[in-house]
Amino acid sequence: MRRPLLEEAHQWEGVEVGLIGVPFDGAVSNRPGARHGPRHLRDQSTLMGQVNHQTGARPNDLANIADLGDVFIEHPYELNAAIDDIEAFYDTVVKAGIVPVTGGGDHSITLPIMRALAKVHGPVGLVHFDAHCDTGDELFGHKQHHGGPFKVAGEEGILDPKRTIQIGIRGPTEPMWAYSYDSGMTVIH
């Protein structure tokens, strides 16, 4: 989006919205590659216009927006440590009063981001567009994986299921969706 790159926390004074990449897909069970998402989003966003041609709005005039770079995953081969690396970065962002806008990465990155947000703001609500509920049980011995972040978040009390809507979920029923329904999330197929 042609915003300034401010990769060091001491540069974030006055930033209201931070664009952040999380190049991590170490918790997928199928089709890795989402780690390349942040780079491609940045490449494509250079084509984005500075003015909405329908409304005349200039988003960059409405808020101080900066690209905060990518989260450095110091432990990419240790799933739980990688999740901790992501959470630590977002702790710094949220404590600085910056609203994070994130491009990832697989769905596992959502859990540490929500943990950081909930430390400051309490349980979060969620609007989730996906084909899957991502409220599955443990997978390959891990609670933290791409198919279960919202179940873990609900169990930890950082996600408010009553303020969660999941849109685009495919198929009539599936056992791994039970938590979504049982916890009170709104699911729209």
Side-chain angles (χ1 to χ4, degrees):
M1 293 175 58
R2 294 180 287 229
R3 301 312 304 149
L5 178 61
L6 307 176
E7 294 182 284
E8 303 296 328
H10 72 286
Q11 300 173 308
W12 298 350
E13 181 73 32
V15 173
E16 296 169 285
V17 177
L19 307 174
I20 303 164
V22 184
F24 180 74
D25 59 10
V28 297
S29 58
N30 186 27
R31 293 188 310 213
R35 68 184 170 272
H36 303 294
R39 172 57 26 225
H40 292 293
L41 285 169
R42 286 187 179 97
D43 289 346
Q44 291 303 307
S45 77
T46 62
L47 303 172
M48 192 172 130
Q50 297 296 302
V51 179
N52 181 301
H53 72 282
Q54 293 291 320
T55 66
R58 301 175 63 86
N60 294 328
D61 292 345
L62 302 175
N64 185 4
I65 303 168
D67 183 342
L68 307 185
D70 288 344
V71 175
F72 178 69
I73 310 293
E74 189 173 342
H75 306 92
Y77 302 110
E78 300 173 40
L79 180 56
N80 293 333
I83 296 294
D84 291 344
D85 291 340
I86 297 166
E87 185 176 345
F89 183 89
Y90 279 85
D91 282 341
T92 305
V93 170
V94 175
K95 287 177 185 165
I98 299 172
V99 175
V101 176
T102 301
D106 70 52
H107 296 186
S108 71
I109 70 169
T110 312
L111 180 62
I113 295 168
M114 291 191 314
R115 283 177 177 155
L117 288 166
K119 287 176 192 173
V120 174
H121 302 291
V124 299
L126 176 70
V127 178
H128 173 217
F129 292 91
D130 198 343
H132 310 102
C133 287
D134 293 346
T135 53
D137 291 320
E138 229 178 69
L139 183 63
F140 305 124
H142 288 277
K143 286 182 76 169
Q144 301 185 116
H145 59 85
H146 73 104
F150 305 131
K151 180 177 183 182
V152 175
E155 290 173 344
E156 290 182 5
I158 61 173
L159 175 65
D160 180 355
K162 304 286 189 235
R163 294 187 301 128
T164 296
I165 183 168
Q166 298 182 304
I167 303 167
I169 308 305
R170 68 175 180 223
T173 61
E174 190 174 307
M176 66 181 349
W177 302 343
Y179 182 83
S180 292
Y181 291 111
D182 294 345
S183 67
M185 295 180 187
T186 299
V187 179
I188 299 175
H189 295 277

